[in-house]
Amino acid sequence: MLRLEKLALTLGPNQYDFTLQVQTHSTTAIVGKSGSGKSTLLNLIAGFLKPASGSILWKENHLLGLSPDRRP
């Protein structure tokens, strides 16, 4: 399971806050208008952006300390 808990990031004038839980082996769509944070969310999960606070867990393992090339 992928779990985001109170993941927060500020980019310029935009404040993003994410809480999400996605079951393993499921398909999830991320939809929203332009500028709503879809790409920002994916970049946080991938490790290309560092959140100000919160946590990202994959199968109960914390991912925030891992570089993008070490994340599943």
Side-chain angles (χ1 to χ4, degrees):
M1 174 185 323
L2 175 66
R3 195 169 74 218
L4 281 58
E5 298 177 345
K6 300 179 183 178
L7 205 61
L9 175 73
T10 301
L11 286 176
N14 299 316
Q15 173 67 38
Y16 299 98
D17 297 293
F18 300 105
T19 296
L20 174 71
Q21 186 169 309
V22 178
Q23 294 296 323
T24 306
H25 305 296
S26 68
T27 302
T28 302
I30 301 170
V31 296
K33 63 181 184 176
S34 179
S36 63
K38 300 176 302 290
S39 296
T40 299
L41 172 61
L42 295 174
N43 282 317
L44 283 163
I45 294 169
F48 298 123
L49 292 175
K50 183 178 178 183
S53 62
S55 60
I56 302 173
L57 296 106
W58 171 249
K59 297 183 179 180
E60 300 304 319
N61 296 308
H62 289 271
L63 298 184
L64 286 182
L66 299 177
S67 60
D69 63 319
R70 299 242 182 231
R71 295 183 184 208

